[in-house]
Amino acid sequence: MRHANADWTNYNGSDFSRPLTTRGLLEAAATGKKLLEAGLVPDLVIASSAQRTRQTAQLLCDALESTRTRITFEPRLYNATESQLLLVIREVSGAHAHLLLVAHNPGVSELSSLLGGGAPIRLGTGEYFSLQLEADTWRGLQIDSNG
């Protein structure tokens, strides 16, 4: 998932510290409700430690109304490339049937394109890409440029 809409115009701090806009706050909660309605409640949410992704993950999880969803914040997801995102996914241990990353473009869109078989995917703010895989563990996930 790409983080919800963040403030560019009225924020003078660092990129890492940019907060969500009012639109972004609503977007994050709405995406959580969409995931809930689609039956895509994650066991584990791994979010970039940037302010906007932390807010997105928390609001999304609040909307899921799930007591089983755990959130962890991963500094390596901040502006990560598709390969760096994939590396974090492969490091997930334990029985997590449904994993959700909350990260940044262009990496999150590039990873979605790769996992989707190579067709270009450009995620807007607050949008997600869902993929079902047959695997026993995230550690064994092998993806090549041919999908």
Side-chain angles (χ1 to χ4, degrees), residues 11-34:
Y11 188 70
N12 296 323
S14 71
D15 178 67
F16 186 82
S17 301
R18 285 191 303 122
L20 294 180
T21 61
T22 301
R23 177 182 138 199
L25 297 170
L26 296 171
E27 237 174 28
T31 300
K33 290 190 183 305
K34 287 179 193 174

Side-chain angles (χ1 to χ4, degrees), residues 1 24-42 45 55-67 69 71 100:
M1 175 183 175
L25 297 170
L26 296 171
E27 237 174 28
T31 300
K33 290 190 183 305
K34 287 179 193 174
L35 290 171
L36 180 63
E37 290 167 4
L40 299 174
V41 178
V45 174
Q55 285 180 289
T56 299
Q58 190 60 61
L59 290 165
L60 178 139
C61 286
D62 289 348
L64 290 172
E65 303 171 359
S66 172
T67 57
T69 301
I71 303 174
L100 175 67

